[in-house]
Amino acid sequence: MRSRGQSNVVGVALLLGVTVVALGTLTASIGMVVDSNAAAADANRVAADFDDALAPVAATGVHRGRVSFTEGRLETVERDLRVLDEGGVVQHVRVDALVFSTDDRRVAFLAGAVVRGTSDGGVMVARPPVTSSREMLVVGAPKLGTSNVSVAATTGGSAVLRTNVTHERVKLGDGTYRVAVETSTPGAWRRHFERENATVSTRDFDDDGVESVVAAYSGERVAYLVVHDMRLEVTHG
């Protein structure tokens, strides 16, 4: 009888141990899901805030907006936009990108577009101001006009985005043109330009390891480059 009683005690102890391990695993899984959902919500909110706060084409003069996120970092990275004809690069604009990142989530404002996601899995949620017809190509080039921005938050926060936008239009004349945008999320840009009936390739112009998505527009047309200088200032909100 003593042996049977001891076996029951051991069995109960083992069962309790298994239950504790299972509850610990479940708690950890729930925590991972909560963290993932929070990161996804942050990315979605920042994408919408970028689209609202940064309006380089529609805005002229001073404009303010706010970007809110629970956890992550907001910073600028160097990026270039180029316009090419059959002879090579005819215009080169350093546009730079404003990037939000947290864990495996990323949102970037680049050349007027907003892309959510990383690498080839990125999704373009706001399109760049590049338009074409049979007779004309208009390349909008919103540039941040600032560098070395870095804002981080670990317990929730926000940043104020202040722009003072001016516009300059340059007529490039008749020709056959390509538009190249340097980006670390080439998939979203490639799919966008393909939907616009451009022929797409990639090229690393400055050998810095970040390729440009190059959209070629067939046929001769008159082209214009419109530089939207944003003069962006980022401050803790």
Side-chain angles (χ1 to χ4, degrees), residues 11 43 98 110 119 129 134 140 189 215:
L98 184 63
L110 169 61
S119 190
R134 292 182 180 180
W189 285 87

Side-chain angles (χ1 to χ4, degrees), residues 41-228:
D42 263 352
N44 291 335
R45 181 167 55 249
V46 169
D49 287 347
F50 275 0
D51 194 26
D52 290 338
L54 302 172
V57 177
T60 298
V62 176
H63 181 74
R64 287 182 178 86
R66 186 180 299 276
V67 177
S68 301
F69 49 94
T70 304
E71 184 174 359
R73 176 173 294 277
L74 196 63
E75 58 190 340
T76 54
V77 296
E78 293 186 11
R79 292 293 182 263
D80 297 297
L81 180 148
R82 295 173 175 87
V83 181
L84 306 90
D85 63 9
E86 293 176 325
V89 177
V90 294
Q91 291 287 333
H92 176 195
V93 182
R94 178 173 165 177
V95 291
D96 291 341
L98 184 63
V99 178
F100 167 80
S101 57
T102 177
D103 296 330
D104 60 343
R105 309 285 177 170
R106 184 179 187 275
V107 181
F109 174 92
L110 169 61
V114 177
V115 175
R116 187 182 66 241
T118 59
S119 190
D120 278 345
V123 176
M124 187 173 287
V125 297
R127 297 180 297 176
V130 179
T131 59
S132 66
S133 67
R134 292 182 180 180
E135 298 82 19
M136 184 181 300
L137 173 67
V138 179
V139 181
K143 69 174 186 177
L144 298 185
T146 189
S147 60
N148 301 321
V149 167
S150 182
V151 175
T154 57
T155 58
S158 65
V160 175
L161 308 184
R162 180 186 183 277
T163 56
N164 187 1
V165 185
T166 59
H167 314 276
E168 180 183 3
R169 189 180 74 166
V170 179
K171 184 176 181 179
L172 304 181
D174 294 331
T176 302
Y177 290 96
R178 290 168 288 160
V179 178
V181 180
E182 187 180 32
T183 175
S184 61
T185 53
W189 285 87
R190 182 182 66 250
R191 289 186 290 272
H192 167 73
F193 283 130
E194 287 174 346
R195 287 192 294 268
E196 298 296 310
N197 298 316
T199 301
V200 180
S201 60
T202 58
R203 177 180 168 185
D204 188 348
F205 285 89
D206 49 14
D207 298 320
D208 64 351
V210 182
E211 292 190 329
S212 293
V213 175
V214 184
Y217 295 85
S218 62
E220 189 170 285
R221 67 196 75 198
V222 62
Y224 297 88
L225 173 68
V226 185
V227 178
H228 309 282

